[in-house]
Amino acid sequence: MPQTNAADAERLALAEAWIAQDPDPETRAELAALVEGARTGDARAAADLADRFDDRLAFGTAGLRGEIAAGPNRMNRVLVSQAAAGLAAYLVERAEPGETPSVVIGYDGRKNSAVFARDSAEIMAGAGLRALLLPTLLPTPVLAFAVRHLATSAGVMVTASHNPPNDNGYKVYLGGSDHGSQIVAPADAEIAAHIERVAASATVPQLPRGAFETVGEDLLDEYIRRTALVAEPPTAQPRVVYTAMHGVGWATAARVFAAAGFDAPAPVAAQISPDPAFPTVAFPNPEEPGAMDLSFEEARAVDAELVIANDPDADRLAVAIPDPRAEGGYRRLSGNEVGLLLGWRAARRAAGASGDSGANGALACSIVSSPGLETVARAYDLDFEATLTGFKWISRAPGLVFGFEEALGYLVNPDTVRDKDGISAAVAFLSLAAELKAEGRTVADHLDEFVERFGCFASTQVSLRVTDLSRIGAIMARLRAEPPASVGGIRVERIEDLADGFGALPPSDVLRILFEGGARVMVRPSGTEPKLKVYIDAVGAEGSVDERRAAASAAVEALEAGMRQLTS
């Protein structure tokens, strides 16, 4: 039998202890096979064990997210049970004397989502909390709504959103003074510390379990009622195609559309029901190439004027419109384009139907989203706030009436859901499209009108995916040590380093490069994937609509080429 060193021996012991407490026969068997392979000298099995046991899936402001498999560096029933017990301990610690903390838990249609949710409910009930489980698999926005509507101390959504099929995750919201928003620092570190204490002191069979409550269907009825109010009664009915991207959006979205007075859209039948295998898409994210091909096929068949897509947990929205210049005859709008149109709609509503100035409220977006939203806010005398990336920040903007981020996330109904909501955003966009159709105009016409009034805000992204995470740190360090004087032939005016915070923004590993002519580049590591992300924005403010678009596009193309060279 091959010799093992001390580290290998310790790792094998940890793996065997993990097997002994794992309630899932699938991950137990998987890990047992790896242990046997490592004991018999299989180098790949030993390396896999090292990857699973030399680190732990970090609990942060995005909660947990990772591949479903055995070990502390993967998503599984052991890790989720420890997370539930740790979160429960945190909620008990921060409760007022005599108060019984409460938590509501939701889950989507991914592999193990239901069992992770049930484990969490039982363990949190066993820790003395009032634990409530949503009645069936539902969109993430319904869980976010439930935290506020039920006035719970916290909420947990078991989902990996639009990640690959074998991933799952654990997203945490806080009630009370956090108003149902996702957690931010220092709550993330405090919860993580409790989770680590649980992992070090108790096995899963030792964690007490209790009886949980199941939330009634009336909660979903109320979400549907309040979400339908986002729309005005339609005076025209655009022809619409809808896809749920194999997720949980359709059943809820269809009821919301009907309650708002819209005809049922034509569904993409192959993608309309939840399926954790996501069989028709390589990657279940509407932003990915090819993900909306079946939607466009259906749109051509019914001559659709609008295509709307939710991601698998329905917290994001993608929109496509007819475009004879696009392959297949339809073009997906960017998240920035949709965000600017919905932001303009929200500003008009805040100011009143006449468009008078003097409106109250604020528009907000992440610092990597289009600067055009600030231009809209100023035009309507609204406040504006640029936040760090994520709706945990956007949702906390004072006086918020609308917020968005370029990654297809929109918060259009802050009195109901303090998070991005792809269903309420879909209703808002349907309402806009219906209004335009009644006036004999299209979404494409409205995009032209935006450019004519506010300027053309063009944008693109460069994503550098790496296998060695140290490469991202090296590129960021180089850009800080050797800042460019120009990029793509456009002169740099200044560089703002957010590492120590900037203005009202807390510290973040972000560089903001500002250019002559109003262009901007943001560089940051991804928070959820092994990527360096570069966000490029430019504005065309002079001349005709076509001239503005041409100027903005030329600047974006030059900056993209230059940033690819700088980050290669």
Side-chain angles (χ1 to χ4, degrees):
M1 179 175 290
Q3 296 294 313
T4 59
N5 59 34
D8 291 336
E10 181 181 1
R11 202 174 288 123
L12 288 167
L14 289 171
E16 288 173 338
W18 190 277
I19 292 168
Q21 66 170 321
D22 189 350
D24 188 331
E26 180 180 332
T27 47
R28 277 202 314 271
E30 169 204 353
L31 189 53
L34 280 180
V35 167
E36 179 63 23
R39 287 194 183 282
T40 56
D42 183 336
R44 293 181 66 180
D48 198 350
L49 278 182
D51 185 50
R52 293 167 187 241
F53 283 87
D54 288 359
D55 203 353
R56 182 179 181 87
L57 205 61
F59 184 94
T61 54
L64 293 166
R65 192 174 292 186
E67 180 186 358
I68 298 173
N73 202 25
R74 301 289 189 272
M75 283 294 296
N76 49 68
R77 291 184 69 184
V78 175
L79 192 83
V80 166
S81 297
Q82 293 168 346
L87 175 58
Y90 167 80
L91 295 172
V92 168
E93 180 181 74
R94 75 196 296 257
E96 296 294 331
E99 176 191 0
T100 298
S102 56
V103 61
V104 59
I105 301 162
Y107 58 97
D108 67 4
R110 282 181 175 266
K111 179 180 178 180
N112 283 7
S113 284
V115 71
F116 289 168
R118 188 179 183 91
D119 279 344
S120 297
E122 290 177 350
I123 287 169
M124 297 178 97
L129 275 65
R130 182 187 178 210
L132 303 102
L133 186 67
L134 293 189
T136 187
L137 66 173
L138 285 165
T140 292
V142 177
L143 182 280
F145 167 73
V147 176
R148 300 182 75 190
H149 185 66
L150 300 175
T152 58
S153 309
V156 172
M157 183 67 193
V158 181
T159 178
S161 190
H162 55 272
N163 272 38
N166 203 44
D167 283 10
N168 215 324
Y170 206 75
K171 185 183 292 188
V172 177
Y173 299 79
L174 291 177
S177 61
D178 288 273
H179 305 293
S181 292
Q182 293 179 52
I183 57 170
V184 295
D188 58 336
E190 293 167 358
I191 296 169
H194 280 289
I195 293 171
E196 288 168 7
R197 281 194 286 271
V198 169
S201 62
T203 65
V204 170
Q206 293 172 326
L207 297 173
R209 292 181 179 244
F212 60 83
E213 304 171 38
T214 300
V215 178
E217 292 284 348
D218 56 323
L219 176 124
L220 180 58
D221 294 341
E222 184 62 13
Y223 168 83
I224 288 165
R225 184 188 72 81
R226 293 177 64 174
T227 303
L229 295 176
V230 170
E232 290 87 11
T235 54
Q237 292 281 357
R239 293 182 301 279
V240 180
V241 163
Y242 174 90
T243 178
M245 205 67 67
H246 297 295
V248 296
W250 172 240
T252 302
R255 289 184 61 188
V256 172
F257 298 157
F262 290 98
D263 292 343
V268 180
Q271 298 177 334
I272 208 65
S273 299
D275 187 336
F278 303 102
T280 69
V281 289
F283 201 100
N285 179 354
E287 290 183 295
E288 292 292 320
M292 293 185 69
D293 284 356
L294 288 182
S295 303
F296 296 163
E297 183 179 310
E298 180 67 22
R300 289 191 294 272
V302 301
D303 192 24
E305 297 158 276
L306 193 66
V307 178
I308 53 179
N310 287 137
D311 69 334
D313 70 328
D315 65 348
R316 287 174 168 83
L317 169 73
V319 173
I321 60 173
D323 186 340
R325 298 164 298 179
E327 184 178 351
Y330 286 84
R331 175 175 75 89
R332 183 182 68 78
L333 303 183
S334 72
N336 281 326
E337 287 176 307
V338 174
L340 293 178
L341 291 188
L342 287 178
W344 187 14
R345 175 180 182 269
R348 292 196 307 272
R349 284 161 63 98
S354 65
D356 293 338
S357 61
N360 294 316
L363 306 183
C365 65
S366 63
I367 56 175
V368 298
S369 300
S370 176
L373 191 66
E374 181 173 9
T375 301
V376 173
R378 302 299 179 232
Y380 286 86
D381 290 334
L382 292 166
D383 294 331
F384 172 77
E385 186 160 342
T387 75
L388 293 184
T389 303
F391 277 83
K392 56 185 174 284
W393 301 111
I394 294 170
S395 66
R396 287 175 161 84
L400 184 68
V401 296
F402 171 79
F404 91 98
E405 63 180 8
E406 46 71 42
L408 308 186
Y410 315 98
L411 198 166
V412 304
N413 195 9
D415 291 336
T416 300
V417 175
R418 285 274 168 174
D419 195 16
K420 57 185 176 292
D421 182 349
I423 295 176
S424 63
V427 172
F429 207 93
L430 273 174
S431 186
L432 173 62
E435 176 188 325
L436 292 169
K437 182 172 183 177
E439 297 170 354
R441 296 180 293 149
T442 66
V443 173
D445 295 333
H446 202 47
L447 287 166
D448 287 346
E449 292 159 4
F450 184 95
V451 172
E452 187 172 16
R453 174 157 184 182
F454 302 106
C456 177
F457 293 86
S459 60
T460 192
Q461 283 188 37
V462 175
S463 289
L464 176 65
R465 185 177 287 273
V466 300
T467 53
D468 180 2
L469 284 174
S470 66
R471 188 178 171 200
I472 291 177
I475 292 171
M476 294 295 291
R478 188 177 76 236
L479 288 173
R480 286 183 166 107
E482 303 171 11
S486 65
V487 176
I490 303 176
R491 186 175 67 84
V492 173
E493 288 192 338
R494 67 182 187 277
I495 298 179
E496 297 170 347
D497 191 342
L498 278 60
D500 296 321
F502 193 90
L505 295 171
S508 183
D509 189 9
V510 176
L511 287 173
R512 178 161 50 195
I513 309 173
L514 303 174
F515 293 86
E516 186 177 51
R520 182 191 75 181
V521 168
M522 310 286 291
V523 187
R524 73 173 183 93
S526 170
T528 57
E529 298 177 273
K531 289 180 179 178
L532 180 72
K533 303 193 79 171
V534 180
Y535 304 82
I536 300 168
D537 292 280
V539 60
E542 302 294 335
S544 67
V545 167
D546 288 343
E547 288 169 338
R548 293 178 183 199
R549 284 205 170 105
S553 295
V556 163
E557 289 172 8
L559 290 170
E560 180 181 2
M563 290 307 299
R564 287 188 184 278
Q565 287 183 332
L566 276 176
T567 57
S568 62

